[in-house]
Amino acid sequence: SQKIEQNSEALNIQEGKTATLTCNYTNYSPAYLQWYRQDPGRGPVFLLLIRENEKEKRKERLKVTFDTTLKQSLFHITASQPADSATYLCALVRSGNTGKLIFGQGTTLQVKP
Amino acid sequence: KAGVTQTPRYLIKTRGQQVTLSCSPISGHRSVSWYQQTPGQGLQFLFEYFSETQRNKGNFPGRFSGRQFSNSRSEMNVSTLELGDSALYLCASSADGWTEKLFFGSGTQLSVL
């Protein structure tokens, strides 16, 4: 069956450290993969997109990697801050099926001061 | 530019009733998609409309339907409500419909009693 898996356990880290979140998928051929941030009671907010032919993308303190052999994406937040505390969702779009995002369950990140 | 607007923000209904949710996309965006979010299932794709046509549909029963108007505003309807329909319903818009970057509203929290 097709699955997207993110760590269901919350990730707790100390301010200033690098947070690394994992997204694994099976039985998909994604055209691209996206990461979103969601705060309680709000809709997800787009952060980064990485295509199947890209290995790495950066935006300020954020970095995403995409390994289509391992079927895995890693999302890094460097120099983390308490304001980074939120749930982070990965989502993929299958090749030939644009218009539909398939989301993982999300990982909750808690950054402690 | 105003963001995606969803109304109402909260809704309480009883089993067997029907409900209509509304979404106004960002001005100029022609694609509107709908997602259901529950603690157990996460974010699940309902359907996507582009220029008044349903272009993609998720695996939900026929009780869930939608439409898009010529001004890109969209409505979602759920008939014969069930307890399991209690969820946060999120609407998202994008400029060209290729889901390269979705802009989500804050959602409608539906409770079915």
Side-chain angles (χ1 to χ4, degrees):
Chain A
S1 63
Q2 299 171 323
K3 283 195 292 188
I4 301 176
E5 291 182 333
Q6 295 184 252
N7 287 348
S8 57
E9 290 182 17
L11 179 63
N12 294 297
I13 65 168
Q14 208 65 34
E15 182 177 8
K17 300 293 187 184
T18 296
T20 299
L21 287 69
T22 305
C23 177
N24 295 299
Y25 60 93
T26 57
N27 298 328
Y28 284 116
S29 295
Y32 48 87
L33 191 144
Q34 302 181 16
W35 284 88
Y36 287 79
R37 168 185 172 140
Q38 187 173 24
D39 292 285
R42 307 296 296 271
V45 174
F46 173 84
L47 296 174
L48 280 168
L49 177 152
I50 187 164
R51 300 180 191 282
E52 60 179 334
N53 60 350
E54 297 175 320
K55 296 292 185 189
E56 183 179 296
K57 263 290 185 59
R58 291 175 185 262
K59 178 184 174 184
E60 297 171 352
R61 295 185 296 111
L62 309 179
K63 184 178 85 171
V64 173
T65 63
F66 195 11
D67 189 327
T68 54
T69 301
L70 290 178
K71 297 187 184 298
Q72 182 181 79
S73 175
L74 298 178
F75 177 79
H76 307 272
I77 305 175
T78 58
S80 59
Q81 305 164 0
D84 295 326
S85 299
T87 295
Y88 291 86
L89 299 156
C90 72
L92 63 81
V93 175
R94 291 184 294 176
S95 299
N97 195 10
T98 54
K100 174 181 176 179
L101 280 177
I102 303 165
F103 281 87
Q105 292 273 49
T107 297
T108 298
L109 172 67
Q110 190 72 33
V111 182
K112 299 187 187 301
Chain B
K1 219 177 199 183
V4 177
T5 304
Q6 291 189 246
T7 56
R9 186 74 177 90
Y10 301 95
L11 207 47
I12 299 174
K13 292 285 187 179
T14 55
R15 278 183 301 173
Q17 287 187 309
Q18 76 164 19
V19 66
T20 299
L21 312 181
S22 180
C23 173
S24 293
I26 291 172
S27 178
H29 284 193
R30 295 164 64 191
S31 170
V32 173
S33 49
W34 289 86
Y35 290 81
Q36 181 196 66
Q37 187 173 32
T38 58
Q41 299 296 319
L43 269 154
Q44 291 190 288
F45 174 79
L46 281 156
F47 26 66
E48 186 238 354
Y49 288 87
F50 183 80
S51 294
E52 301 179 67
T53 301
Q54 186 181 87
R55 196 166 57 171
N56 273 288
K57 190 177 188 307
N59 298 322
F60 278 81
R63 300 185 297 107
F64 292 81
S65 63
R67 59 178 176 167
Q68 186 181 31
F69 302 96
S70 58
N71 62 357
S72 292
R73 191 177 70 84
S74 178
E75 286 182 349
M76 190 193 108
N77 185 275
V78 188
S79 63
T80 320
L81 284 165
E82 300 177 0
L83 295 179
D85 297 333
S86 296
L88 179 66
Y89 289 89
L90 290 159
C91 164
S93 74
S94 68
D96 58 10
W98 298 114
T99 60
E100 293 223 350
K101 182 176 182 178
L102 291 187
F103 294 84
F104 281 86
S106 291
T108 294
Q109 184 67 54
L110 172 65
S111 297
V112 182
L113 306 178

